[in-house]
Amino acid sequence: MDALDELISQFAAAVWGLPLVILLIGGGFYLLILSNFLPFRYLGHSLDLLRGKYNNPNDPGEINHFQSLSTALSSTVGMGNIAGVAVAIALGGPGAIFWLWVSAVVGMATKFFTNTLAVMYRGKDTQGNIQGGVMYFIEEGLGKKWKFLAIFFSVAGLIGALPVFNVNQLTEAINYILLEPNNIPTGFGTNLIIGFILVILTSVVILGGLQRISKTVSKLVPSMVVLYFISVIIILIVNYDVVPYYFSSIFTDAFAAENYRGEPMLGGMLGGLIILGIRRGAFSNEAGIGTATMAHGASKTSEPVREGLVAMLGPAIDTLVVCTLTALCILVTGIWQTSDENGVSLTAAAFEDSIPYVGDYLLLLCISAFSISSLFSFSYYGTKCLSYLAGAENKHYYNYFYIASILVGATTSLSMMINLIDSFFAFMAIPTMISTLILAPRVMKAARIYFKKYKD
């Protein structure tokens, strides 16, 4: 297992090299400039859309704007925000968060373009149902000669949509916060039991299809964000005297790599720090990866630009708000400098340090909601990928593969799971960004028409 872990780690490092960083961040900057910073100029209109001001029940699609964003957020507002940020700080210190922010700001533009395309070029599955997603906008927007990219995305999505990282970190959290302090022995056996409980919970929801998934997560997502927000605000109040110092250190350490503990990349430690932040940002908000296009592509709307505007709120909520809260929580307690913990255990240590006796239990409650909602959404993405590859009549087979993977995630190491998902996220980003950059002028043409109508 150690040899396999090392192999997957080296593989992830190789695919997350300079070409992918240029494609994700360079491509995102190009889209931001091409749109004349449109995501920031229409935030108010995006919120109106999210509130349902322009909903039309007769529009094509399966779920409304709020449900589509909730479904997308339930897969991104999760362990990436809690464990992923902890990993970034443990390896790179405060400066890694600056680069995570960069990925979010750029990611808002990327989300606008990819999710506008998801509705603009919806296709049909083998049962004649309207579907959206990267694979469909590649085939419908670029033509059959580009179908190899759509297939590549879908194959990578079969692994990229697996819940193994979320399950792994939820299992670690239950062990670290609940079982070990109460002198309950932990190991493969208890991990397997946790895995089986998660299998039962997940099966009840995901076998009910998108409607049940979207209704469940649209209730879970807002409440879990509020609970997490309140908990972290308490920690920041307790440590109010050092909050300004650590907030400023995010900027001052962004170009100082003395805290970086990972492998040097791009010729040095600074390059490694930049890639670490961008990699964790992509894992957190998935901008440019393409999974969210499958949720937003199912939205009830006849205006593709509207869905792009709603989707771009994702990185703002996920990374600029939730990830920043986690980062400050870990930084102000100083735990990241004194503890050998990593991942969710580091965040739990920070909670316990500032809110004794109940802090880590509050975190466990948030983690449970984050992780379980993520389990529901990612299954939907995987079934869409299999539906594209093997036909809609066979998509349900993915759920069995997905459910089995929960047991794998519960019983293996953090590094193996995070590197495995990172690798396939990288593969998904390649066709997503290439096709989006090619089709971007069509999005801007549609946007100009839409905003002219909106102003009139």
Side-chain angles (χ1 to χ4, degrees):
M1 290 298 287
D2 288 342
L4 181 61
D5 193 358
E6 179 62 23
L7 181 65
I8 294 174
S9 175
Q10 291 176 359
F11 181 64
V15 294
W16 274 96
L18 182 59
L20 186 63
V21 172
I22 291 173
L23 184 62
L24 273 175
I25 299 302
F29 268 119
Y30 166 75
L31 295 174
L32 195 61
I33 293 166
L34 182 67
S35 68
N36 291 320
F37 295 85
L38 180 146
F40 306 98
R41 291 190 285 118
Y42 287 97
L43 279 174
H45 183 47
S46 300
L47 294 171
D48 285 340
L49 291 167
L50 188 61
R51 289 190 294 111
K53 186 174 178 180
Y54 299 92
N55 283 359
N56 182 350
N58 297 319
D59 279 343
E62 296 181 73
I63 52 180
N64 63 38
H65 290 303
F66 181 76
Q67 288 175 325
S68 64
L69 182 63
S70 294
T71 303
L73 277 175
S74 69
S75 62
T76 58
V77 177
M79 281 301 183
N81 305 82
I82 297 176
V85 170
V87 168
I89 292 174
L91 288 177
I97 304 305
F98 175 84
W99 298 108
L100 190 140
W101 285 347
V102 169
S103 78
V105 173
V106 170
M108 289 180 71
T110 305
K111 284 264 193 172
F112 170 75
F113 279 86
T114 54
N115 290 287
T116 298
L117 288 169
V119 176
M120 186 183 293
Y121 293 109
R122 289 198 266 212
K124 288 187 177 181
D125 61 24
T126 54
Q127 293 178 335
N129 298 315
I130 294 175
Q131 300 288 354
V134 172
M135 63 286 254
Y136 291 100
F137 75 62
I138 288 174
E139 186 172 344
E140 300 295 324
L142 294 177
K144 298 287 186 184
K145 63 182 179 180
W146 293 88
K147 189 170 181 176
F148 71 95
L149 276 183
I151 293 171
F152 184 82
F153 173 86
S154 299
V155 171
L158 294 176
I159 305 298
L162 291 178
V164 287
F165 173 73
N166 286 296
V167 170
N168 176 275
Q169 287 296 276
L170 178 55
T171 303
E172 182 178 325
I174 292 170
N175 287 335
Y176 183 85
I177 297 170
L178 193 62
L179 302 184
E180 291 172 5
N182 292 296
N183 299 316
I184 298 173
T186 57
F188 181 82
T190 52
N191 291 350
L192 198 60
I193 291 169
I194 294 168
F196 274 117
I197 293 170
L198 292 175
V199 162
I200 294 167
L201 285 172
T202 306
S203 301
V204 169
V205 175
I206 69 172
L207 297 178
L210 177 61
Q211 290 291 340
R212 187 181 294 176
I213 292 170
S214 63
K215 286 176 182 176
T216 303
V217 299
S218 63
K219 292 181 176 66
L220 261 180
V221 170
S223 56
M224 69 184 182
V225 170
V226 169
L227 177 61
Y228 190 65
F229 182 83
I230 293 170
S231 302
V232 175
I233 291 300
I234 292 170
I235 293 173
L236 297 184
I237 291 171
V238 170
N239 298 278
Y240 73 94
D241 54 326
V242 293
V243 170
Y245 169 77
Y246 280 111
F247 187 79
S248 64
S249 72
I250 292 173
F251 296 93
T252 56
D253 287 15
F255 300 93
E258 60 265 19
N259 289 318
Y260 181 65
R261 304 175 192 172
E263 290 295 321
M265 296 180 192
L266 307 184
M269 292 295 185
L270 177 58
L273 179 64
I274 293 170
I275 287 183
L276 172 66
I278 291 169
R279 184 168 160 182
R280 296 278 57 81
F283 186 87
S284 172
N285 61 50
E286 82 81 64
I289 307 302
T291 53
T293 61
M294 293 180 265
H296 288 289
S299 181
K300 272 185 174 291
T301 183
S302 56
E303 291 281 2
V305 172
R306 284 182 181 168
E307 198 56 34
L309 289 168
V310 170
M312 77 182 186
L313 294 171
I317 297 168
D318 173 276
T319 307
L320 297 181
V321 176
V322 183
C323 285
T324 301
L325 289 174
T326 303
L328 287 173
C329 158
I330 293 170
L331 291 173
V332 300
T333 57
I335 290 293
W336 62 285
Q337 293 173 307
T338 59
S339 174
D340 292 329
E341 300 293 347
N342 198 353
V344 72
S345 301
L346 181 60
T347 312
F351 267 65
E352 175 61 19
D353 181 78
S354 292
I355 315 176
Y357 307 113
V358 297
D360 48 3
Y361 291 105
L362 277 175
L363 181 65
L364 182 59
L365 188 59
C366 295
I367 285 169
S368 299
F370 281 141
S371 297
I372 291 170
S373 66
S374 297
L375 294 183
F376 302 155
S377 297
F378 273 117
S379 69
Y380 172 65
Y381 298 154
T383 57
K384 292 264 281 195
C385 289
L386 186 61
S387 174
Y388 182 81
L389 293 168
E393 62 278 5
N394 296 310
K395 66 181 182 182
H396 63 281
Y397 290 116
Y398 182 80
N399 284 330
Y400 306 121
F401 173 58
Y402 183 90
I403 288 166
S405 77
I406 292 174
L407 299 178
V408 176
T411 54
T412 44
S413 71
L414 163 63
S415 60
M416 183 183 294
M417 293 301 95
I418 199 168
N419 285 321
L420 177 70
I421 300 304
D422 273 356
S423 300
F424 283 90
F425 265 29
F427 288 146
M428 294 169 76
I430 296 168
T432 300
M433 289 303 297
I434 289 173
S435 56
T436 300
L437 291 170
I438 295 171
L439 292 168
R442 301 189 205 177
V443 173
M444 286 311 301
K445 182 179 178 181
R448 283 189 286 270
I449 294 169
Y450 175 80
F451 288 116
K452 185 178 186 303
K453 286 193 296 183
Y454 172 66
K455 288 173 182 175
D456 291 343

